[in-house]
Amino acid sequence: MNAIDLGAGTAFLGRNALFFDELDSTNGWCKRNDLPHGTAVLAASQTSGRGRMGQSWSDSPGKSLSFSLVLRDWPANRLAALPLACCIGVLRALTAECGPGFAVKWSNDLLHGEKKVCGILCESVLSGGSATVVIGIGVNLTRTEQEFKSLGLVYAASLESATGKKIDGRELAAAICRELEPVLIKFQEFGFLELREEYRRSCLTLGKEVRVIQNGRELAGLAVDIGGDGGLICEIGGERVIIHAGEASVRGLYGYV
Ligand code: BTN
């Protein structure tokens, strides 16, 4: 393990940074260790990268950015929409580094065109009214279309395959820290309502037919808006239903779950 200087120029996010050649999961390591607020943990490869909804996350050494950020004493009432707030910061960083063309698929997948380039997994441990949070961010940097195909990941792309840009992982981690820090400060102080308009503008799911899988039942509807707490408001069978991240998967947008 090496302490590294990301050079992000931030007040707290990524000021402490640790780099590992290999970890099981950067999120898992952060959860097992007592790390200061804002610490970034990067790994060149993960042997058991974790994705949302109990799925695994596949990365390959040198071809992906896998890192986690630790937030301490994070208010418990600012957890539900945190992954959506993170999307805004990461989207800003991807746009700054690679140019336009990125969008969000509700709740917290980042796409370029029709393909997923980045996933975010927020995990938290509550203690009283506050939590220790680990924000895990995985970005595909340089894998080719062929590599994704052979892995059966037909709806995935890398920054290079999607935009032609070869992006350095540490520079991107620094850019994410720089863009995400002010978003987190605003979100902590004012909540998601202050960020909702930017999220709406970036969200490809809105206006699309969706199939919501909730408690094993599949319901068809139309995604119409984002709620004040980050829920997806859908019209299903003539009624407005709010779907919360983690409670349901939304299919129907490019077939990607
Ligand atoms: C998703 O399912 O879309 C979320 C993927 C999150 C992957 C990142 S890679 C760094 C961090 N460590 C993990 O084990 N997972 C997250």
PDB file of all heavy atoms in Angstrom, residues 103-131:
ATOM      1  N   ALA A 103     -24.674  10.758 -19.527  1.00  0.00           N
ATOM      2  CA  ALA A 103     -26.000  10.935 -18.936  1.00  0.00           C
ATOM      3  C   ALA A 103     -26.169   9.936 -17.803  1.00  0.00           C
ATOM      4  O   ALA A 103     -25.358   9.013 -17.649  1.00  0.00           O
ATOM      5  CB  ALA A 103     -27.068  10.712 -20.000  1.00  0.00           C
ATOM      6  N   VAL A 104     -27.228  10.148 -17.033  1.00  0.00           N
ATOM      7  CA  VAL A 104     -27.501   9.260 -15.899  1.00  0.00           C
ATOM      8  C   VAL A 104     -28.679   8.361 -16.241  1.00  0.00           C
ATOM      9  O   VAL A 104     -29.664   8.811 -16.806  1.00  0.00           O
ATOM     10  CB  VAL A 104     -27.892  10.090 -14.652  1.00  0.00           C
ATOM     11  CG1 VAL A 104     -28.208   9.172 -13.479  1.00  0.00           C
ATOM     12  CG2 VAL A 104     -26.797  11.066 -14.282  1.00  0.00           C
ATOM     13  N   LYS A 105     -28.541   7.092 -15.903  1.00  0.00           N
ATOM     14  CA  LYS A 105     -29.705   6.211 -15.921  1.00  0.00           C
ATOM     15  C   LYS A 105     -30.094   6.041 -14.457  1.00  0.00           C
ATOM     16  O   LYS A 105     -29.250   5.644 -13.649  1.00  0.00           O
ATOM     17  CB  LYS A 105     -29.350   4.854 -16.543  1.00  0.00           C
ATOM     18  CG  LYS A 105     -30.467   3.840 -16.439  1.00  0.00           C
ATOM     19  CD  LYS A 105     -30.018   2.517 -17.060  1.00  0.00           C
ATOM     20  CE  LYS A 105     -31.003   1.412 -16.768  1.00  0.00           C
ATOM     21  NZ  LYS A 105     -30.891   0.899 -15.400  1.00  0.00           N
ATOM     22  N   TRP A 106     -31.346   6.405 -14.131  1.00  0.00           N
ATOM     23  CA  TRP A 106     -31.763   6.331 -12.734  1.00  0.00           C
ATOM     24  C   TRP A 106     -31.502   4.938 -12.192  1.00  0.00           C
ATOM     25  O   TRP A 106     -31.752   3.977 -12.881  1.00  0.00           O
ATOM     26  CB  TRP A 106     -33.271   6.661 -12.617  1.00  0.00           C
ATOM     27  CG  TRP A 106     -33.717   6.737 -11.188  1.00  0.00           C
ATOM     28  CD1 TRP A 106     -33.687   7.812 -10.362  1.00  0.00           C
ATOM     29  CD2 TRP A 106     -34.271   5.656 -10.420  1.00  0.00           C
ATOM     30  NE1 TRP A 106     -34.172   7.473  -9.125  1.00  0.00           N
ATOM     31  CE2 TRP A 106     -34.536   6.151  -9.134  1.00  0.00           C
ATOM     32  CE3 TRP A 106     -34.565   4.300 -10.676  1.00  0.00           C
ATOM     33  CZ2 TRP A 106     -35.081   5.364  -8.116  1.00  0.00           C
ATOM     34  CZ3 TRP A 106     -35.096   3.515  -9.665  1.00  0.00           C
ATOM     35  CH2 TRP A 106     -35.350   4.053  -8.407  1.00  0.00           C
ATOM     36  N   SER A 107     -30.989   4.734 -11.015  1.00  0.00           N
ATOM     37  CA  SER A 107     -30.727   5.808 -10.089  1.00  0.00           C
ATOM     38  C   SER A 107     -29.279   6.314 -10.163  1.00  0.00           C
ATOM     39  O   SER A 107     -29.039   7.513 -10.019  1.00  0.00           O
ATOM     40  CB  SER A 107     -31.015   5.327  -8.669  1.00  0.00           C
ATOM     41  OG  SER A 107     -30.253   4.155  -8.378  1.00  0.00           O
ATOM     42  N   ASN A 108     -28.327   5.410 -10.369  1.00  0.00           N
ATOM     43  CA  ASN A 108     -26.961   5.925 -10.335  1.00  0.00           C
ATOM     44  C   ASN A 108     -25.994   5.181 -11.240  1.00  0.00           C
ATOM     45  O   ASN A 108     -24.893   4.836 -10.830  1.00  0.00           O
ATOM     46  CB  ASN A 108     -26.433   6.014  -8.897  1.00  0.00           C
ATOM     47  CG  ASN A 108     -26.509   4.714  -8.159  1.00  0.00           C
ATOM     48  OD1 ASN A 108     -27.385   3.921  -8.406  1.00  0.00           O
ATOM     49  ND2 ASN A 108     -25.584   4.466  -7.272  1.00  0.00           N
ATOM     50  N   ASP A 109     -26.420   5.008 -12.491  1.00  0.00           N
ATOM     51  CA  ASP A 109     -25.502   4.508 -13.518  1.00  0.00           C
ATOM     52  C   ASP A 109     -25.146   5.661 -14.423  1.00  0.00           C
ATOM     53  O   ASP A 109     -26.010   6.466 -14.774  1.00  0.00           O
ATOM     54  CB  ASP A 109     -26.180   3.438 -14.392  1.00  0.00           C
ATOM     55  CG  ASP A 109     -26.348   2.120 -13.667  1.00  0.00           C
ATOM     56  OD1 ASP A 109     -25.638   1.896 -12.669  1.00  0.00           O
ATOM     57  OD2 ASP A 109     -27.189   1.322 -14.116  1.00  0.00           O
ATOM     58  N   LEU A 110     -23.884   5.707 -14.837  1.00  0.00           N
ATOM     59  CA  LEU A 110     -23.482   6.751 -15.779  1.00  0.00           C
ATOM     60  C   LEU A 110     -23.238   6.127 -17.142  1.00  0.00           C
ATOM     61  O   LEU A 110     -22.484   5.154 -17.261  1.00  0.00           O
ATOM     62  CB  LEU A 110     -22.239   7.471 -15.258  1.00  0.00           C
ATOM     63  CG  LEU A 110     -22.638   8.376 -14.088  1.00  0.00           C
ATOM     64  CD1 LEU A 110     -21.530   8.559 -13.107  1.00  0.00           C
ATOM     65  CD2 LEU A 110     -23.118   9.715 -14.596  1.00  0.00           C
ATOM     66  N   LEU A 111     -23.913   6.681 -18.122  1.00  0.00           N
ATOM     67  CA  LEU A 111     -23.833   6.143 -19.479  1.00  0.00           C
ATOM     68  C   LEU A 111     -23.148   7.135 -20.394  1.00  0.00           C
ATOM     69  O   LEU A 111     -23.170   8.344 -20.152  1.00  0.00           O
ATOM     70  CB  LEU A 111     -25.239   5.898 -20.061  1.00  0.00           C
ATOM     71  CG  LEU A 111     -26.299   5.168 -19.243  1.00  0.00           C
ATOM     72  CD1 LEU A 111     -27.558   5.000 -20.095  1.00  0.00           C
ATOM     73  CD2 LEU A 111     -25.829   3.818 -18.766  1.00  0.00           C
ATOM     74  N   HIS A 112     -22.563   6.588 -21.458  1.00  0.00           N
ATOM     75  CA  HIS A 112     -22.177   7.445 -22.590  1.00  0.00           C
ATOM     76  C   HIS A 112     -22.934   6.869 -23.763  1.00  0.00           C
ATOM     77  O   HIS A 112     -22.790   5.690 -24.076  1.00  0.00           O
ATOM     78  CB  HIS A 112     -20.673   7.424 -22.844  1.00  0.00           C
ATOM     79  CG  HIS A 112     -20.261   8.445 -23.862  1.00  0.00           C
ATOM     80  ND1 HIS A 112     -20.387   8.239 -25.212  1.00  0.00           N
ATOM     81  CD2 HIS A 112     -19.781   9.711 -23.717  1.00  0.00           C
ATOM     82  CE1 HIS A 112     -19.976   9.320 -25.856  1.00  0.00           C
ATOM     83  NE2 HIS A 112     -19.619  10.231 -24.975  1.00  0.00           N
ATOM     84  N   GLY A 113     -23.729   7.706 -24.413  1.00  0.00           N
ATOM     85  CA  GLY A 113     -24.624   7.163 -25.433  1.00  0.00           C
ATOM     86  C   GLY A 113     -25.535   6.165 -24.741  1.00  0.00           C
ATOM     87  O   GLY A 113     -26.186   6.484 -23.765  1.00  0.00           O
ATOM     88  N   GLU A 114     -25.513   4.930 -25.219  1.00  0.00           N
ATOM     89  CA  GLU A 114     -26.425   3.932 -24.654  1.00  0.00           C
ATOM     90  C   GLU A 114     -25.707   2.968 -23.720  1.00  0.00           C
ATOM     91  O   GLU A 114     -26.276   1.971 -23.308  1.00  0.00           O
ATOM     92  CB  GLU A 114     -27.064   3.143 -25.797  1.00  0.00           C
ATOM     93  CG  GLU A 114     -27.791   4.043 -26.774  1.00  0.00           C
ATOM     94  CD  GLU A 114     -28.632   3.264 -27.758  1.00  0.00           C
ATOM     95  OE1 GLU A 114     -28.534   2.035 -27.787  1.00  0.00           O
ATOM     96  OE2 GLU A 114     -29.402   3.921 -28.479  1.00  0.00           O
ATOM     97  N   LYS A 115     -24.451   3.236 -23.415  1.00  0.00           N
ATOM     98  CA  LYS A 115     -23.685   2.216 -22.688  1.00  0.00           C
ATOM     99  C   LYS A 115     -23.159   2.710 -21.347  1.00  0.00           C
ATOM    100  O   LYS A 115     -22.765   3.871 -21.213  1.00  0.00           O
ATOM    101  CB  LYS A 115     -22.538   1.734 -23.562  1.00  0.00           C
ATOM    102  CG  LYS A 115     -23.088   1.039 -24.803  1.00  0.00           C
ATOM    103  CD  LYS A 115     -22.068   0.196 -25.483  1.00  0.00           C
ATOM    104  CE  LYS A 115     -22.765  -0.693 -26.509  1.00  0.00           C
ATOM    105  NZ  LYS A 115     -21.799  -1.410 -27.331  1.00  0.00           N
ATOM    106  N   LYS A 116     -23.130   1.785 -20.394  1.00  0.00           N
ATOM    107  CA  LYS A 116     -22.689   2.144 -19.044  1.00  0.00           C
ATOM    108  C   LYS A 116     -21.166   2.218 -18.981  1.00  0.00           C
ATOM    109  O   LYS A 116     -20.472   1.265 -19.331  1.00  0.00           O
ATOM    110  CB  LYS A 116     -23.214   1.090 -18.060  1.00  0.00           C
ATOM    111  CG  LYS A 116     -22.793   1.312 -16.625  1.00  0.00           C
ATOM    112  CD  LYS A 116     -23.617   0.452 -15.687  1.00  0.00           C
ATOM    113  CE  LYS A 116     -23.064   0.402 -14.291  1.00  0.00           C
ATOM    114  NZ  LYS A 116     -23.922  -0.313 -13.346  1.00  0.00           N
ATOM    115  N   VAL A 117     -20.670   3.356 -18.512  1.00  0.00           N
ATOM    116  CA  VAL A 117     -19.211   3.516 -18.372  1.00  0.00           C
ATOM    117  C   VAL A 117     -18.785   3.554 -16.907  1.00  0.00           C
ATOM    118  O   VAL A 117     -17.607   3.397 -16.596  1.00  0.00           O
ATOM    119  CB  VAL A 117     -18.699   4.799 -19.081  1.00  0.00           C
ATOM    120  CG1 VAL A 117     -18.815   4.673 -20.588  1.00  0.00           C
ATOM    121  CG2 VAL A 117     -19.400   6.052 -18.581  1.00  0.00           C
ATOM    122  N   CYS A 118     -19.735   3.788 -16.011  1.00  0.00           N
ATOM    123  CA  CYS A 118     -19.368   3.968 -14.605  1.00  0.00           C
ATOM    124  C   CYS A 118     -20.505   3.537 -13.695  1.00  0.00           C
ATOM    125  O   CYS A 118     -21.678   3.795 -14.000  1.00  0.00           O
ATOM    126  CB  CYS A 118     -19.055   5.456 -14.386  1.00  0.00           C
ATOM    127  SG  CYS A 118     -18.891   5.945 -12.665  1.00  0.00           S
ATOM    128  N   GLY A 119     -20.155   2.867 -12.604  1.00  0.00           N
ATOM    129  CA  GLY A 119     -21.149   2.484 -11.604  1.00  0.00           C
ATOM    130  C   GLY A 119     -20.745   3.033 -10.241  1.00  0.00           C
ATOM    131  O   GLY A 119     -19.554   3.223  -9.967  1.00  0.00           O
ATOM    132  N   ILE A 120     -21.736   3.289  -9.432  1.00  0.00           N
ATOM    133  CA  ILE A 120     -21.492   3.860  -8.100  1.00  0.00           C
ATOM    134  C   ILE A 120     -22.210   2.991  -7.068  1.00  0.00           C
ATOM    135  O   ILE A 120     -23.375   2.637  -7.250  1.00  0.00           O
ATOM    136  CB  ILE A 120     -22.028   5.309  -8.025  1.00  0.00           C
ATOM    137  CG1 ILE A 120     -21.307   6.194  -9.044  1.00  0.00           C
ATOM    138  CG2 ILE A 120     -21.874   5.888  -6.619  1.00  0.00           C
ATOM    139  CD1 ILE A 120     -21.875   7.596  -9.182  1.00  0.00           C
ATOM    140  N   LEU A 121     -21.494   2.640  -6.030  1.00  0.00           N
ATOM    141  CA  LEU A 121     -22.098   1.854  -4.946  1.00  0.00           C
ATOM    142  C   LEU A 121     -21.827   2.556  -3.629  1.00  0.00           C
ATOM    143  O   LEU A 121     -20.681   2.639  -3.186  1.00  0.00           O
ATOM    144  CB  LEU A 121     -21.483   0.438  -4.913  1.00  0.00           C
ATOM    145  CG  LEU A 121     -21.901  -0.447  -3.740  1.00  0.00           C
ATOM    146  CD1 LEU A 121     -23.384  -0.820  -3.832  1.00  0.00           C
ATOM    147  CD2 LEU A 121     -21.048  -1.721  -3.697  1.00  0.00           C
ATOM    148  N   CYS A 122     -22.882   3.093  -3.001  1.00  0.00           N
ATOM    149  CA  CYS A 122     -22.732   3.747  -1.691  1.00  0.00           C
ATOM    150  C   CYS A 122     -23.143   2.758  -0.612  1.00  0.00           C
ATOM    151  O   CYS A 122     -24.220   2.155  -0.691  1.00  0.00           O
ATOM    152  CB  CYS A 122     -23.630   4.987  -1.601  1.00  0.00           C
ATOM    153  SG  CYS A 122     -23.119   6.295  -2.707  1.00  0.00           S
ATOM    154  N   GLU A 123     -22.298   2.612   0.392  1.00  0.00           N
ATOM    155  CA  GLU A 123     -22.620   1.730   1.514  1.00  0.00           C
ATOM    156  C   GLU A 123     -22.414   2.535   2.789  1.00  0.00           C
ATOM    157  O   GLU A 123     -21.519   3.383   2.853  1.00  0.00           O
ATOM    158  CB  GLU A 123     -21.704   0.511   1.518  1.00  0.00           C
ATOM    159  CG  GLU A 123     -21.831  -0.319   0.247  1.00  0.00           C
ATOM    160  CD  GLU A 123     -20.977  -1.577   0.291  1.00  0.00           C
ATOM    161  OE1 GLU A 123     -21.474  -2.618   0.759  1.00  0.00           O
ATOM    162  OE2 GLU A 123     -19.816  -1.515  -0.138  1.00  0.00           O
ATOM    163  N   SER A 124     -23.250   2.263   3.803  1.00  0.00           N
ATOM    164  CA  SER A 124     -23.108   3.064   5.016  1.00  0.00           C
ATOM    165  C   SER A 124     -23.322   2.226   6.263  1.00  0.00           C
ATOM    166  O   SER A 124     -24.035   1.218   6.243  1.00  0.00           O
ATOM    167  CB  SER A 124     -24.106   4.221   4.994  1.00  0.00           C
ATOM    168  OG  SER A 124     -25.381   3.732   4.711  1.00  0.00           O
ATOM    169  N   VAL A 125     -22.677   2.659   7.330  1.00  0.00           N
ATOM    170  CA  VAL A 125     -22.868   2.026   8.637  1.00  0.00           C
ATOM    171  C   VAL A 125     -23.388   3.112   9.559  1.00  0.00           C
ATOM    172  O   VAL A 125     -22.715   4.116   9.798  1.00  0.00           O
ATOM    173  CB  VAL A 125     -21.535   1.454   9.181  1.00  0.00           C
ATOM    174  CG1 VAL A 125     -21.751   0.814  10.538  1.00  0.00           C
ATOM    175  CG2 VAL A 125     -20.932   0.469   8.196  1.00  0.00           C
ATOM    176  N   LEU A 126     -24.625   2.916  10.057  1.00  0.00           N
ATOM    177  CA  LEU A 126     -25.277   3.932  10.892  1.00  0.00           C
ATOM    178  C   LEU A 126     -24.879   3.787  12.347  1.00  0.00           C
ATOM    179  O   LEU A 126     -24.753   2.680  12.861  1.00  0.00           O
ATOM    180  CB  LEU A 126     -26.789   3.741  10.820  1.00  0.00           C
ATOM    181  CG  LEU A 126     -27.579   4.568   9.812  1.00  0.00           C
ATOM    182  CD1 LEU A 126     -29.028   4.128   9.818  1.00  0.00           C
ATOM    183  CD2 LEU A 126     -27.449   6.055  10.101  1.00  0.00           C
ATOM    184  N   SER A 127     -24.696   4.932  13.010  1.00  0.00           N
ATOM    185  CA  SER A 127     -24.489   4.894  14.450  1.00  0.00           C
ATOM    186  C   SER A 127     -25.158   6.149  15.002  1.00  0.00           C
ATOM    187  O   SER A 127     -24.672   7.257  14.768  1.00  0.00           O
ATOM    188  CB  SER A 127     -22.994   4.826  14.718  1.00  0.00           C
ATOM    189  OG  SER A 127     -22.693   5.333  15.960  1.00  0.00           O
ATOM    190  N   GLY A 128     -26.295   5.971  15.658  1.00  0.00           N
ATOM    191  CA  GLY A 128     -27.091   7.118  16.113  1.00  0.00           C
ATOM    192  C   GLY A 128     -27.640   7.868  14.912  1.00  0.00           C
ATOM    193  O   GLY A 128     -28.126   7.269  13.965  1.00  0.00           O
ATOM    194  N   GLY A 129     -27.490   9.193  14.936  1.00  0.00           N
ATOM    195  CA  GLY A 129     -28.062  10.014  13.856  1.00  0.00           C
ATOM    196  C   GLY A 129     -27.108  10.223  12.703  1.00  0.00           C
ATOM    197  O   GLY A 129     -27.404  10.971  11.775  1.00  0.00           O
ATOM    198  N   SER A 130     -25.930   9.560  12.767  1.00  0.00           N
ATOM    199  CA  SER A 130     -25.000   9.784  11.658  1.00  0.00           C
ATOM    200  C   SER A 130     -24.431   8.455  11.169  1.00  0.00           C
ATOM    201  O   SER A 130     -24.624   7.404  11.789  1.00  0.00           O
ATOM    202  CB  SER A 130     -23.884  10.733  12.073  1.00  0.00           C
ATOM    203  OG  SER A 130     -23.057  10.098  13.010  1.00  0.00           O
ATOM    204  N   ALA A 131     -23.731   8.537  10.055  1.00  0.00           N
ATOM    205  CA  ALA A 131     -23.250   7.308   9.429  1.00  0.00           C
ATOM    206  C   ALA A 131     -21.820   7.497   8.939  1.00  0.00           C
ATOM    207  O   ALA A 131     -21.378   8.611   8.685  1.00  0.00           O
ATOM    208  CB  ALA A 131     -24.137   6.961   8.245  1.00  0.00           C
TER     209      ALA A 131
END
